[in-house]
Amino acid sequence: MATLSDNPGVRRQMGRGDDDPQARPGMGLPVHLLGKLATKATHPAVILAETLLLPLLAVGLGLIWAPQDPLQVQTSFPWPWLAPVVLALRYGPMAGLVGASVLLIGWLALNAGHWDIFPQLYFLGGLILVMLVGEFSSLWQARARRAETLQLYLDQRLEHLVRQHYLLRLSHDRLEQELIGRPMSMRDALSGLREAGRGEEQAPQALLRLLAQYCQLECAAIHTVTKGHVAAQASASIGAHDPLQADDPLLRQALQTHRLCHIRQVQNGPPGTRYLVAAPLLDLDGEMYGLLVVQEMPFFALQEENLQTLQLLLGYYTDGLSMDALARPIVKQFPDCPPLFAFELQRLAHIHASAQVPSIVVALECQPRALEQDLPAQVERLKRELDEAWLIRAPQRQVLAVLMPLGNATTAEGYVRRLEAWMQQKSQQSLAQAGIFPHVVPLDSAQPERILQRLHSIAHA
């Protein structure tokens, strides 16, 4: 049912509504004009012009309203003083004093020859009023500037926090995607490689399955290499792998350099390669006996970190096939060193040399009071799954060397803290009070023999 307000003609006769932005009840001026009047000027010339013209306008209006007394000296209220008061409110006491000076000059000009009747109280009261209003304006302008500065700082901090939160969210989403695509940790991968190296016949296929799971390979194959020639038949493969193309430029570059090569490193001529990655499998003498070729993998998996991980896992696997040969030089020089500890030490040294991934050795020096409580054997049982331990016996003390693969100083610090907590829970003592003193020996660019010599020097000091 239509109402009177639905008729456009009736609405025009009824006038503007309360929600009209151009008018408000009881106000004859548009809102945008009042907003301009309330906005202060910033240019010095505009401020000076406003300071001079507003008092002159008050004097001019006084001449029109009361020509015999334009400054309203004899009336009940001195209306021209509103101009200096407004200037003092807008721009501070100095602008108000300039406006009052204009009124003074105007009175002197209009009363030339009659300066003996100068209204002292009139101008004194006006000046006091202008100074009070100017001081009030200065105080609140200073407070407003401080509030604006604080608000600007808070806005910047909020914008920074919002940006950081957005980046954190992107990082979390990317980490979640990587964890979905890479469901195992590096420690699990190395443990799987140990198991893969034990079965000689199924080892290549087990290695390829683990690489596909950890490095996101979709289509890849391992080919045997004999005297620089790659076998056409793959010894292990995953996915719909095509027959090998021996003249592929990426394969030729990998065979020449004996290093992992990917599609962006093809040097000879135009790219023209059908493979994404070619990685050699090298023995202890640096001779190539196998070649991993990757035909398909996700776009985001073809990045430096994933390729470094692929090279690390291949090196760990190939070293594991030569356990006796790796451990023999160390066992010959240090007969009391366990072969498995010597093998892991050599293998981790090779990994650091090829992939720049460090490892760490924590040597726990056990004094006689610790030996009386059989603490070395108890601490040895607390080692992690991939860690290898060697108990070095000396006349005065024993040193328990714990080799931590792919660890650094932070890893050693966490391990020592865990031992501290275990000792506090066991006997309400610290490691030092129990007679155990830890030493951290990094396995970086040093030769494994030097590491063992340092461990022996700790035991026989």
Side-chain angles (χ1 to χ4, degrees):
M1 181 176 179
T3 61
L4 290 176
S5 60
D6 296 331
N7 192 323
V10 173
R11 286 203 303 270
R12 286 195 296 269
Q13 294 178 3
M14 292 173 63
R16 297 181 183 270
D18 292 340
D19 56 347
D20 192 343
Q22 300 297 327
R24 292 291 185 270
M27 298 178 62
L29 293 175
V31 177
H32 62 85
L33 181 58
L34 293 178
K36 290 182 178 180
L37 290 176
T39 303
K40 298 192 303 180
T42 57
H43 198 278
V46 178
I47 296 175
L48 180 60
E50 185 177 345
T51 304
L52 297 177
L53 292 178
L54 193 59
L56 291 176
L57 179 61
V59 175
L61 291 176
L63 287 173
I64 297 174
W65 181 261
Q68 70 282 1
D69 189 12
L71 295 181
Q72 308 291 315
V73 178
Q74 306 297 332
T75 57
S76 302
F77 184 81
W79 295 102
W81 278 102
L82 289 180
V85 168
V86 171
L87 292 173
L89 282 174
R90 286 169 62 83
Y91 303 112
M94 293 304 298
L97 290 177
V98 173
S101 300
V102 173
L103 291 184
L104 177 60
I105 295 173
W107 185 92
L108 294 175
L110 293 173
N111 295 274
H114 302 283
W115 292 352
D116 55 337
I117 60 172
F118 180 73
Q120 299 179 359
L121 294 180
Y122 173 83
F123 279 98
L124 178 62
L127 288 174
I128 293 175
L129 177 62
V130 169
M131 293 299 296
L132 290 176
V133 171
E135 288 298 324
F136 176 83
S137 174
S138 298
L139 175 63
W140 281 99
Q141 285 180 11
R143 292 186 178 182
R145 283 194 298 268
R146 286 196 296 269
E148 291 175 356
T149 303
L150 178 61
Q151 185 64 36
L152 178 62
Y153 171 76
L154 294 177
D155 290 342
Q156 292 175 350
R157 291 291 299 170
L158 179 61
E159 182 182 358
H160 177 73
L161 290 176
V162 169
R163 187 182 297 109
Q164 293 296 322
H165 175 73
Y166 178 71
L167 294 177
L168 182 62
R169 182 177 179 181
L170 289 180
S171 177
H172 178 271
D173 293 342
R174 183 172 180 180
L175 180 61
E176 185 178 16
Q177 293 176 3
E178 290 183 356
L179 289 178
I180 291 175
R182 189 178 293 181
M184 62 170 62
S185 65
M186 179 64 73
R187 191 168 298 277
D188 296 333
L190 296 184
S191 179
L193 284 178
R194 283 188 177 182
E195 298 296 330
R198 293 177 182 175
E200 298 251 349
E201 296 181 358
Q202 301 297 328
Q205 191 65 39
L207 169 66
L208 205 53
R209 284 197 302 266
L210 189 141
L211 293 177
Q213 185 178 9
Y214 194 81
C215 299
Q216 306 180 43
L217 306 185
E218 295 179 350
C219 181
I222 295 179
H223 295 264
T224 304
V225 179
T226 305
K227 297 182 179 180
H229 297 283
V230 184
Q233 185 68 26
S235 58
S237 64
I238 56 170
H241 196 271
D242 297 333
L244 182 71
Q245 290 189 355
D247 59 344
D248 190 274
L250 187 66
L251 266 63
R252 292 201 305 267
Q253 183 173 340
L255 292 174
Q256 293 172 2
T257 61
H258 284 206
R259 298 181 62 181
L260 183 146
C261 300
H262 53 84
I263 190 171
R264 293 182 57 187
Q265 296 177 335
V266 178
Q267 299 174 353
N268 300 327
T273 177
R274 63 182 303 177
Y275 301 112
L276 299 178
V277 179
L281 281 72
L282 307 176
D283 57 16
L284 291 178
D285 297 328
E287 295 295 331
M288 186 185 307
Y289 67 88
L291 183 67
L292 169 69
V293 289
V294 180
Q295 188 171 337
E296 294 180 9
M297 65 187 304
F299 175 76
F300 288 104
L302 191 60
Q303 41 92 6
E304 191 68 28
E305 181 182 356
N306 197 44
L307 295 178
Q308 184 183 21
T309 302
L310 178 63
Q311 185 176 3
L312 186 151
L313 294 177
L314 287 177
Y316 195 87
Y317 169 79
T318 55
D319 289 341
L321 299 180
S322 307
M323 176 177 175
D324 294 336
L326 278 174
R328 189 178 301 114
I330 293 182
V331 174
K332 183 177 181 180
Q333 186 175 357
F334 301 93
D336 55 338
C337 180
L340 189 56
F341 186 92
F343 163 66
E344 285 296 326
L345 192 65
Q346 286 277 38
R347 178 155 66 171
L348 294 176
H350 286 178
I351 287 178
H352 181 268
S354 60
Q356 299 301 315
V357 179
S359 297
I360 202 82
V361 178
V362 178
L364 301 174
E365 180 184 351
C366 302
Q367 298 293 333
R369 58 179 179 274
L371 301 179
E372 294 175 359
Q373 305 177 35
D374 196 24
L375 291 181
Q378 299 180 39
V379 173
E380 185 176 359
R381 289 193 290 267
L382 298 177
K383 71 181 182 69
R384 303 173 303 177
E385 180 181 0
L386 288 181
D387 296 347
E388 294 296 336
W390 174 25
L391 184 59
I392 306 175
R393 292 179 170 83
Q396 301 296 331
R397 62 179 64 85
Q398 293 183 3
V399 174
L400 178 63
V402 181
L403 175 61
M404 299 182 175
L406 311 183
N408 50 23
T410 305
T411 307
E413 183 180 355
Y415 176 71
V416 173
R417 282 202 302 264
R418 185 159 61 92
L419 291 182
E420 287 280 3
W422 172 77
M423 186 60 64
Q424 286 287 346
Q425 184 179 5
K426 180 179 181 298
S427 59
Q428 303 298 320
Q429 291 180 335
S430 64
L431 288 178
Q433 293 173 343
I436 299 178
F437 300 93
H439 303 268
V440 178
V441 182
L443 177 63
D444 41 27
S445 59
Q447 295 295 330
E449 290 79 5
R450 296 181 183 178
I451 303 297
L452 298 180
Q453 288 175 359
R454 184 173 177 183
L455 296 178
H456 263 273
S457 64
I458 296 174
H460 297 86

